[in-house]
Amino acid sequence: MSSPSTQNLASIFPSPVHFDAFVERSAWPKWVLLTICGLLIAAPASTKVAGAAWFLIVLFGLWAALRIPISLPINHPLVHLSLLWFATCLFALILKAIATYYWADPWGDRHVEVRLLLCAAATFALLRRLCLYSQQKIWLTHSLALACWVALGVSCIYGRETPSNAIPWAAGVSFFVCILLPLSMLSNIKRWQRTGWFFSSLAGVVAILLSQSRGSYGIVLWVILFSSVVVIKKFIKQRKNSDVVWLNFGYYLSGAAATIVFAILILVSFPRIYEVPLLRVQDAILEVRGLSTQPSFSSKEINTSVGARIHMWRAALKEIANAPLLGHGSKARIAWIHQLGITDGSDTIKSVHHLHSDILTTLFDHGMLGLFSYLSFGISLAWIALKGMRTHAILSWSLIGMLLMHLTSGLTNVNFGHNYYGVMFALSLFIAWIQSMDQEVCI
């Protein structure tokens, strides 16, 4: 059973607001959903399995669009939000396609935009035609919970040697956490299930910390932010009833004490949970402190992880200013980085082909046109989260978390250069949407 505090927090997020027009819709075929659930569970352990889940969803969405009649109107709140996301993905791809064609860059570089667009189209099609039983939603959530434990096993065994590059891998796991934690607060779910989902989301956080991916450590901030909002809203909601407030205060106090004791026992038993991330953060701080305050760094300084990044960013800003509208193209960027490494004597810089930043790499390649494409994803998610907060709070909070992780993890890495990131981002958005569908009548 969950602690009293967890039980009380669950009432903050009731079931989504229902749409006025209830229509009979076909339920998801069980074999399709169970196959997707199985693939999601193993997604943190294999990039190919994650890709298979994405491919199955896209194919199923196409099949549904061709074979199943539409049952929900376009003005349904959730359908309307999914259409807005689809339009955003299409707009972003068009902008990048223009720049890609102009510079004759490899079309394979647009894999993330294509994956997001196709999965957004499948989401839009499936939301209008099929629904999930309540039990099917629970199955899907259980698969996310198990995936977090699989991710924990991967990071415990392999550390930074994850199936994909550690940074996009950790970002992908963080997307699952951003969906799972709000779902653990639903009031219409059994307490033991909510408790299991809650601790599974924490297992996902630990997996991210053990992966040594500093760019994804922001998930800890989101968990703290979300938990704080839940507690504050709970007290505000019940502030008029002093007896209930004091009773809940006792629940919270005992729950917090139990949680602290449990956390201490876990940390003492498994010190790697805090030692690994602290060591990674300390390494970064030491590298930053070791950098010279002079305009240029020594060859030793620019051969460190942090030093190489900062040196490339400084030099890249000058090149970006020379072609602010359309950039220089990806081929020119690769050649420029290689030459910079040779000129400044940095083997670390010579070994990479990007600027270790989604934003700066985008600006260097495709200028402001590319930047508009990249930022359109974040702007759209922020607007959808704000617009859906009243009717679909779970979806909104999940999108806020994914947006935070998308932006922060991309500050010091080129996530859009990895297939796994695009797959996990698209999958997570799809899950967030279909989990938020109203409890329509299924046939």
Side-chain angles (χ1 to χ4, degrees), residues 28 32-33 36-37 40 53-54 56-58 60-61 78 82 85 115-116 118-127 130 132 140 144 176 179 395 399 402 423-437:
W28 272 61
V32 174
L33 183 63
I36 292 174
C37 287
L40 288 175
W54 173 87
L56 178 58
I57 289 169
V58 172
F60 186 58
L78 207 60
S82 71
W85 175 244
R115 291 181 191 277
L116 289 172
L118 293 179
C119 205
T123 302
F124 177 69
L126 291 169
L127 283 176
L130 296 173
L132 288 174
L140 190 57
L144 291 179
F176 280 8
I179 301 172
L395 172 64
L399 295 183
M402 284 189 275
V423 166
M424 293 295 281
F425 198 12
L427 281 177
S428 300
L429 290 167
F430 166 78
I431 296 168
W433 248 283
I434 65 170
Q435 280 282 27
S436 299
M437 176 53 68

Side-chain angles (χ1 to χ4, degrees), residues 32-42 136 139-141 143-144:
V32 174
L33 183 63
L34 290 176
T35 302
I36 292 174
C37 287
L39 293 172
L40 288 175
I41 292 171
Q136 289 178 320
W139 294 347
L140 190 57
T141 310
S143 69
L144 291 179

Side-chain angles (χ1 to χ4, degrees), residues 400-423:
I400 289 172
M402 284 189 275
L403 174 59
L404 174 65
M405 297 313 302
H406 167 65
L407 295 177
T408 56
S409 64
L411 289 176
T412 57
N413 190 62
V414 181
N415 289 327
F416 271 41
H418 299 274
N419 288 322
Y420 188 77
Y421 182 83
V423 166

Side-chain angles (χ1 to χ4, degrees), residues 334-394:
I334 294 173
W336 178 83
I337 292 175
H338 184 70
Q339 185 59 45
L340 179 68
I342 294 175
T343 302
D344 296 342
S346 174
D347 293 332
T348 301
I349 293 177
K350 283 193 296 182
S351 66
V352 299
H353 302 290
H354 51 72
L355 296 172
H356 274 293
S357 170
D358 268 326
I359 292 179
L360 288 181
T361 299
T362 299
L363 276 171
F364 195 106
D365 288 1
H366 302 138
M368 296 302 296
L369 189 66
L371 183 64
F372 289 151
S373 172
Y374 180 79
L375 293 180
S376 65
F377 293 117
I379 294 172
S380 178
L381 287 177
W383 172 250
I384 292 171
L386 179 64
K387 193 172 182 180
M389 186 61 76
R390 184 180 65 84
T391 57
H392 295 89
I394 295 294

Side-chain angles (χ1 to χ4, degrees), residues 102-182:
Y102 179 81
W103 289 112
D105 287 342
W107 287 101
D109 291 349
R110 303 280 65 81
H111 59 90
V112 172
E113 291 88 353
V114 171
R115 291 181 191 277
L116 289 172
L117 175 65
L118 293 179
C119 205
T123 302
F124 177 69
L126 291 169
L127 283 176
R128 300 192 72 188
R129 292 165 173 84
L130 296 173
C131 70
L132 288 174
Y133 286 115
S134 297
Q135 187 60 44
Q136 289 178 320
K137 289 186 176 183
I138 292 175
W139 294 347
L140 190 57
T141 310
H142 283 340
S143 69
L144 291 179
L146 291 174
C148 287
W149 288 104
V150 171
L152 178 58
V154 169
S155 60
C156 285
I157 296 172
Y158 299 105
R160 194 164 175 78
E161 301 301 319
T162 54
S164 177
N165 179 280
I167 301 177
W169 181 88
V173 175
S174 74
F175 295 151
F176 280 8
V177 173
C178 292
I179 301 172
L180 188 58
L181 184 59

